[in-house]
Coordinates of all heavy atoms in Angstrom, one line a residue:
A37 N 4.5 10.4 -6.9 CA 5.5 10.7 -7.9 C 4.9 11.1 -9.2 O 5.3 12.0 -9.9 CB 6.4 9.5 -8.2
R40 N 3.6 14.7 -8.8 CA 4.6 15.6 -8.9 C 5.1 15.9 -10.4 O 5.4 16.9 -10.8 CB 5.8 15.2 -8.0 CG 5.5 15.2 -6.5 CD 6.5 14.6 -5.7 NE 6.3 14.9 -4.2 CZ 7.1 14.4 -3.3 NH1 8.2 13.6 -3.5 NH2 6.9 14.8 -2.0
A41 N 5.2 14.7 -11.1 CA 5.7 14.8 -12.4 C 4.6 15.7 -13.3 O 5.0 16.5 -14.1 CB 5.8 13.5 -13.1
I44 N 4.9 19.3 -12.6 CA 6.1 19.9 -13.2 C 5.6 20.2 -14.7 O 6.0 21.4 -15.2 CB 7.3 18.9 -13.2 CG1 7.9 18.8 -11.9 CG2 8.2 19.3 -14.4 CD1 8.9 17.8 -11.8
L45 N 5.0 19.3 -15.4 CA 4.5 19.6 -16.8 C 3.5 20.8 -16.8 O 3.6 21.5 -17.7 CB 3.9 18.3 -17.4 CG 4.9 17.1 -17.6 CD1 4.0 16.0 -18.1 CD2 6.0 17.6 -18.6
F48 N 4.6 24.4 -17.4 CA 4.9 25.0 -18.7 C 3.7 25.5 -19.4 O 3.8 25.9 -20.6 CB 5.6 23.9 -19.6 CG 7.0 23.5 -19.1 CD1 7.1 22.4 -18.2 CD2 8.0 24.2 -19.5 CE1 8.4 22.1 -17.8 CE2 9.3 23.8 -19.1 CZ 9.5 22.7 -18.2
L56 N 15.6 24.9 -13.3 CA 15.3 24.0 -12.3 C 14.8 24.7 -11.0 O 13.8 24.2 -10.3 CB 16.5 23.1 -11.9 CG 16.3 21.9 -11.0 CD1 15.5 20.8 -11.7 CD2 17.6 21.4 -10.6
I59 N 11.2 25.8 -11.4 CA 10.1 24.8 -11.2 C 10.0 24.3 -9.7 O 9.0 24.1 -9.2 CB 10.6 23.5 -12.1 CG1 10.7 24.0 -13.6 CG2 9.7 22.3 -11.9 CD1 11.3 22.8 -14.5
H66 N 11.8 20.3 -3.2 CA 13.3 20.5 -3.1 C 14.0 20.4 -4.5 O 13.5 19.4 -5.3 CB 13.9 19.6 -2.1 CG 15.4 20.0 -1.7 ND1 16.5 19.6 -2.4 CD2 15.8 20.7 -0.6 CE1 17.5 20.0 -1.9 NE2 17.1 20.8 -0.7
K67 N 15.0 21.1 -4.7 CA 15.6 21.0 -6.0 C 16.2 19.6 -6.4 O 16.0 19.2 -7.5 CB 16.8 22.0 -6.1 CG 16.5 23.4 -6.4 CD 17.6 24.3 -6.4 CE 18.6 23.9 -7.4 NZ 19.7 24.9 -7.4
S68 N 16.6 18.8 -5.4 CA 17.1 17.5 -5.7 C 16.1 16.6 -6.1 O 16.1 15.7 -6.9 CB 17.8 16.9 -4.4 OG 16.8 16.8 -3.3
T69 N 14.8 16.7 -5.6 CA 13.6 15.9 -5.9 C 13.2 16.3 -7.3 O 12.9 15.4 -8.1 CB 12.4 16.2 -5.0 OG1 12.9 15.9 -3.6 CG2 11.2 15.3 -5.3
V70 N 13.1 17.6 -7.7 CA 12.7 18.0 -8.9 C 13.8 17.6 -10.0 O 13.5 17.1 -11.0 CB 12.6 19.5 -9.0 CG1 12.4 20.0 -10.5 CG2 11.5 20.0 -8.0
H71 N 15.1 17.6 -9.6 CA 16.1 17.1 -10.5 C 15.9 15.7 -10.9 O 16.0 15.3 -12.1 CB 17.4 17.3 -9.9 CG 18.7 17.0 -10.9 ND1 19.2 15.8 -10.8 CD2 19.2 17.7 -11.8 CE1 20.1 15.8 -11.8 NE2 20.2 17.0 -12.4
R72 N 15.5 14.8 -10.0 CA 15.4 13.4 -10.2 C 14.1 13.2 -11.2 O 14.2 12.4 -12.1 CB 15.2 12.6 -9.0 CG 16.4 12.4 -8.1 CD 16.2 11.4 -7.1 NE 15.2 11.7 -6.2 CZ 15.3 12.4 -5.0 NH1 16.5 12.9 -4.7 NH2 14.3 12.7 -4.2
L73 N 13.1 13.9 -10.9 CA 11.9 13.9 -11.8 C 12.1 14.4 -13.1 O 11.7 13.8 -14.2 CB 10.7 14.6 -11.1 CG 10.2 14.0 -9.8 CD1 9.3 15.0 -9.1 CD2 9.4 12.7 -10.1
M74 N 12.9 15.5 -13.3 CA 13.2 16.0 -14.6 C 14.1 15.1 -15.3 O 13.9 15.0 -16.6 CB 14.0 17.3 -14.4 CG 13.1 18.5 -13.8 SD 11.5 18.9 -14.6 CE 12.2 19.7 -16.2
A75 N 15.0 14.3 -14.7 CA 15.8 13.5 -15.4 C 15.0 12.3 -16.1 O 15.3 11.9 -17.2 CB 16.8 12.8 -14.4
T76 N 13.9 11.8 -15.3 CA 13.0 10.8 -15.9 C 12.3 11.4 -17.1 O 12.2 10.8 -18.1 CB 12.1 10.3 -14.8 OG1 12.9 9.7 -13.7 CG2 11.2 9.2 -15.4
L77 N 11.6 12.6 -16.9 CA 10.8 13.2 -17.9 C 11.7 13.5 -19.2 O 11.3 13.3 -20.3 CB 10.3 14.5 -17.5 CG 9.2 14.4 -16.4 CD1 8.8 15.7 -15.8 CD2 7.9 13.7 -17.0
E78 N 13.1 13.8 -18.9 CA 13.9 14.0 -20.0 C 14.2 12.7 -20.8 O 14.3 12.7 -22.0 CB 15.2 14.7 -19.6 CG 16.1 15.1 -20.7 CD 17.3 15.9 -20.2 OE1 17.6 15.9 -19.0 OE2 18.1 16.5 -21.1
E79 N 14.5 11.8 -20.1 CA 14.8 10.4 -20.6 C 13.6 9.8 -21.5 O 13.8 9.3 -22.6 CB 15.1 9.3 -19.5 CG 15.4 8.0 -20.0 CD 15.6 7.0 -18.9 OE1 15.7 7.5 -17.8 OE2 15.8 5.8 -19.3
K80 N 12.4 10.2 -21.0 CA 11.2 9.7 -21.8 C 10.8 10.7 -22.9 O 9.7 10.5 -23.6 CB 10.0 9.5 -20.8 CG 10.2 8.5 -19.8 CD 10.3 7.1 -20.4 CE 10.5 6.0 -19.4 NZ 10.6 4.7 -20.0
G81 N 11.5 11.8 -23.0 CA 11.1 12.7 -24.1 C 10.0 13.8 -23.8 O 9.7 14.5 -24.7
F82 N 9.6 13.9 -22.6 CA 8.6 14.8 -22.2 C 9.2 16.2 -22.0 O 8.4 17.2 -22.1 CB 7.8 14.4 -21.0 CG 6.9 13.3 -21.3 CD1 7.2 12.0 -21.1 CD2 5.6 13.5 -21.8 CE1 6.5 10.9 -21.4 CE2 4.7 12.4 -22.1 CZ 5.2 11.2 -21.8
V83 N 10.4 16.4 -21.7 CA 11.2 17.7 -21.5 C 12.5 17.6 -22.2 O 13.0 16.5 -22.4 CB 11.2 18.1 -20.1 CG1 9.9 18.3 -19.4 CG2 12.1 17.2 -19.3
V84 N 13.0 18.7 -22.5 CA 14.4 18.8 -23.1 C 15.1 19.9 -22.4 O 14.5 21.0 -22.1 CB 14.3 19.2 -24.6 CG1 15.6 19.4 -25.3 CG2 13.5 18.1 -25.4
R85 N 16.3 19.7 -22.1 CA 17.2 20.6 -21.4 C 18.2 21.3 -22.4 O 18.9 20.6 -23.1 CB 18.0 20.0 -20.2 CG 18.8 21.0 -19.4 CD 19.5 20.3 -18.3 NE 20.6 19.5 -18.7 CZ 21.8 19.9 -19.0 NH1 22.2 21.2 -18.7 NH2 22.7 19.0 -19.4
D90 N 20.8 26.0 -19.5 CA 20.4 25.1 -18.4 C 19.0 25.2 -18.1 O 18.5 25.0 -16.9 CB 21.3 25.4 -17.2 CG 21.4 24.2 -16.4 OD1 21.4 22.9 -16.9 OD2 21.6 24.2 -15.1
Y92 N 14.8 24.1 -19.1 CA 14.0 23.1 -19.7 C 12.8 23.6 -20.5 O 12.4 24.7 -20.2 CB 13.5 22.1 -18.5 CG 14.5 21.4 -17.8 CD1 15.1 22.0 -16.7 CD2 14.8 20.0 -18.2 CE1 16.0 21.3 -16.0 CE2 15.8 19.4 -17.5 CZ 16.4 20.0 -16.4 OH 17.3 19.2 -15.6
R93 N 12.5 22.9 -21.6 CA 11.3 23.2 -22.3 C 10.5 21.8 -22.6 O 11.2 20.8 -22.4 CB 11.6 23.9 -23.5 CG 12.5 23.1 -24.6 CD 12.7 23.9 -25.8 NE 13.4 23.1 -26.8 CZ 14.7 23.0 -26.9 NH1 15.5 23.6 -26.0 NH2 15.3 22.2 -27.8

Side-chain angles (χ1 to χ4, degrees):
R40 288 172 170 177
I44 287 174
L45 293 176
F48 292 93
L56 189 68
I59 297 171
H66 195 275
K67 282 178 59 177
S68 60
T69 302
V70 175
H71 184 268
R72 290 195 297 270
L73 291 167
M74 294 301 289
T76 300
L77 289 171
E78 184 176 11
E79 181 183 352
K80 296 296 184 180
F82 286 93
V83 297
V84 175
R85 186 177 68 87
D90 208 27
Y92 293 88
R93 63 179 185 274

